[in-house]
Amino acid sequence: NNDTLNNVIPDDDDEPLDLGKQYAEDWTPENRTVNELFEDAVLAYLEENWDRCIEDFNAVLHGYKAYKRMITNCRKKCRSKADGDEPIYPENIDDLHFYEKKVKETLCLLMCNNEYREIAGAKALKTLPRETEQKLVDHRVYEYLHICYYQKKRYQDAANALFTFVIAHPDHETSLQALASYLTLPGVEADSVVNLETAAYVSMYFKAVSAYEDENYVRAVGLFEASLNSYLHEEDECRFYCEGPFDQGWHPEFISSVANHFTYCLKCKQACSNILNNLNGEFRKDMLRNHYNYLQFSYYKLGNLKAACSAVESYLLFDPVDETMLQNKNYYSAQPKVKEEYFTPRQEVVNYLKRQEYEYALLRYISKEFAIIEANYLKLTNIKTPKNETKDSKDKELGKKPDFETALHTPPGHALFSHVNLSKYFSTSREHREYKIDDTEQPRVKEDIYLIAKEEDLDGKNRYVADGFLNSTDCESLMKFAYMNVVEGDGYNENKSPHSKYERFEGITIGRTALMVYFGKIDRKWLELLLEKTELVREHVEKYFGLHRHLYFSYTHLVCRTALPDSPVDRDDLSHQVHADNCLLRDKDTCLRESPAYVWRDYSAILYLNDDFQGGEFFFAKDSVTRELDYVILPRCGRMVAFSAGGENLHGVRGVIRGRRCALALWFTQDKRYLEYERVLASAVLERVRSIGPLEEKNVQVPLKYEDVLVDYATNDESLRYFLKNSS
Ligand SMILES: O=C(O)CCC(=O)C(=O)O
Ligand SMILES: [Fe+2]
């Protein structure tokens, strides 16, 4: 199909793509390393030397680009060189060909990196310290830069810099507010505010769309091909940049070390497309495939039916049942000149999707298979609960052991944006697509829930662990929701530290969420997401335990436990002491099913939202006196642990040492009298908001004790009453 790729790019002002050497040559940092430049720039900022601040931070950005290009260029060059080399010995015994290649690649990398450093001056491209690199990855430069621009009254530049920062930190409230005020400054045009870190293909893509809309198909084809090329090239760069160092933090065996580092890189690589598909803060999962859509029509208009058919077939690889594209296919097939073999997808997209599918399947395999090993490993080493725990080095190492399932880490070079839509401030493109909560680029099967551990694995009755209730987008959404809305003391009778003085406990209930939706304070999609995902869990638990009587929700609580900044790393208390959910633990063998225990609770489930914190493991306990851990479960996005709520399932949570741990705690009952009334109200609120919108009252606040307010409205608001009646 190569004829599709030979179009001249009818364009003038785009940068050449491979800038590695050129950057290195341009790179004259007056003998300062990128790191030194960064430090100097911060200093200039602190000294309020705004001109130097602007100059130095721009030099940092420039230098970092050169640094990144150097690294990715070397990795790319050395990979293809090693791939093309004849092996020393023709036969591939014991995978030696693979290792030979890696040895040769290493040699090449050493030399290549040196070459660049020589061109750029001895110190210029010196390896960046990890913390500085992370700041660059997180676009922290713009956090300073906008202020320096602002001070110099360069308002449009300030707005651009701040916008760029906000896209990487969509929850940064003060920056969002500052951005809004920048937009009102003289000379600032909201429409021309840009993300300074937009992927390079994007501008080409939009030029292509314009050409297409102007019916200039020759230009459109050239630009779309160039943009496509650039997209794949940029994704490639991002992937190579992912192949960086990795602190294993322990001393693994050779094979484990290779596999562990490989997994780490793979996760990073899988996130690359998220970055490319984030246009000015708006997530557009279809960017790659859209190219083929435009191309098929443009080629058709130019009379190149072979290329048109090939583009159609390429598009269909992404979505084989797309009706419009299938109609196009029929239409083209009916053309007299079209041959069957024209419908061959383009090679680059076949390779791309095959790799994607393989990598995704491999990651799923890893997360599924290793979860159980991690847990068994922890169990085998027989950790005691922190009370009698002595923190020896072995134990510390152990804490780092399960690296296979570390958080989806941010790929170096880019922040992993959450999917926010900033287009309320700015319109960026002609096509507009609704923001959907669960858009994911990865191919996914619907029924993604799989069992991780059952009774036998867990040495106990009526307990199991399953994964896959939430995908990473759901978790990101819910974490964001939690971040913005959880309230100290909510659901704990206003007690802010009910379990540990080293942690802040915050929660939000269904009732509070419903009230906020009702007052128009938050979008209803959050409530919908909460109800939908927790219902998925309820159904699973009911089915899994083979219950013949209906399982009702009795209480739903999104809880975050955050380690306080000054909490000691070697603290020896638990985040949640050993307990049972429906009885009072008295001594080793007695659990009294009486008030004030929640005796009506029959089953419990905890659905986890994140794992980017330290500590906070859930555990089943043998008994409360020896406090011996029976089985440890590591929270992960979408993982659920479920168990019957009595004394047979004593459990607790180890202290959260660092970071924030959020989970949805769900309690179920088979006694209808105790069903969660807030859920019924929430459904009525949703119905109301869907049909007539939220309440028209301004400035209503949700108090800490919100329950009475909710009931008040439910009894007095006619429309709510209507929906309530209809639901029951
Ligand atoms: O968050 C967890 O993992 C468990 C919490 C728990 O057991 C409870 O709230 O009763
Ligand atoms: Fe519990």
Side-chain angles (χ1 to χ4, degrees), residues 342-365:
Y342 283 9
F343 291 100
T344 311
R346 293 169 52 156
Q347 201 54 49
E348 82 275 0
V349 70
V350 174
N351 295 348
Y352 181 93
L353 288 175
K354 265 198 212 155
R355 181 184 69 192
Q356 170 138 316
E357 206 173 305
Y358 193 169
E359 287 184 347
Y360 187 64
L362 188 53
L363 279 175
R364 275 199 46 177
Y365 173 85

Side-chain angles (χ1 to χ4, degrees), residues 280-295:
N280 279 355
E282 193 184 345
F283 187 72
R284 305 254 301 260
K285 66 166 185 153
D286 294 333
M287 290 311 283
L288 184 55
R289 77 180 73 168
N290 282 350
H291 283 86
Y292 296 103
N293 190 10
Y294 282 116
L295 278 171

Side-chain angles (χ1 to χ4, degrees), residues 1 176 317 326 390 470 496 500 542 568 650 669:
N1 283 319
L176 280 168
L317 286 183
L326 288 172
T390 48
L470 303 167
K496 294 186 178 177
S500 162
E542 185 183 72
L650 299 180
T669 179

Side-chain angles (χ1 to χ4, degrees), residues 330-383:
N330 280 338
Y331 176 82
Y332 293 141
S333 305
Q335 304 295 310
K337 283 195 203 131
V338 169
K339 300 195 191 112
E340 176 89 34
E341 73 256 25
Y342 283 9
F343 291 100
T344 311
R346 293 169 52 156
Q347 201 54 49
E348 82 275 0
V349 70
V350 174
N351 295 348
Y352 181 93
L353 288 175
K354 265 198 212 155
R355 181 184 69 192
Q356 170 138 316
E357 206 173 305
Y358 193 169
E359 287 184 347
Y360 187 64
L362 188 53
L363 279 175
R364 275 199 46 177
Y365 173 85
I366 290 168
S367 83
K368 183 176 165 200
E369 297 302 322
F370 281 89
I372 185 85
I373 293 179
E374 276 169 22
N376 276 336
Y377 182 85
L378 286 166
K379 182 186 162 195
L380 275 175
T381 51
N382 201 8
I383 324 166

Side-chain angles (χ1 to χ4, degrees), residues 576 579 581 643 651 667:
H576 206 135
H579 67 281
D581 285 345
F643 46 91
H651 61 279
W667 290 280

Side-chain angles (χ1 to χ4, degrees), residues 458-579:
L458 296 166
D459 270 350
K461 277 234 159 337
N462 293 325
R463 41 173 92 159
Y464 75 103
V465 183
D467 266 0
F469 285 91
L470 303 167
N471 64 31
S472 58
T473 318
D474 299 331
C475 287
E476 265 176 46
S477 288
L478 289 169
M479 284 300 290
K480 193 171 158 202
F481 169 70
Y483 186 75
M484 294 188 297
N485 299 301
V486 287
V487 177
E488 268 187 322
D490 179 82
Y492 291 109
N493 294 330
E494 298 164 55
N495 181 352
K496 294 186 178 177
S497 282
H499 302 300
S500 162
K501 62 177 187 261
Y502 297 123
E503 291 172 25
R504 190 170 69 241
F505 287 80
E506 293 160 309
I508 185 163
T509 55
I510 292 289
R512 176 182 294 280
T513 311
L515 207 50
M516 290 172 75
V517 170
Y518 181 58
F519 288 165
K521 293 194 171 301
I522 57 170
D523 196 294
R524 64 166 207 265
K525 72 184 179 198
W526 304 112
L527 183 56
E528 286 165 346
L529 186 66
L530 276 175
L531 293 177
E532 181 200 333
K533 296 302 171 187
T534 51
E535 173 59 18
L536 205 61
V537 171
R538 192 203 62 76
E539 281 168 15
H540 201 274
V541 172
E542 185 183 72
K543 223 197 232 135
Y544 185 85
F545 287 125
L547 304 178
H548 299 303
R549 276 161 54 214
H550 187 85
L551 199 58
Y552 299 94
F553 278 98
S554 130
Y555 195 54
T556 304
H557 202 197
L558 199 174
V559 189
C560 296
R561 302 157 188 257
T562 310
L564 295 175
D566 47 359
S567 67
V569 184
D570 58 349
R571 58 180 263 210
D572 64 354
D573 70 331
L574 293 170
S575 176
H576 206 135
Q577 74 275 40
V578 174
H579 67 281

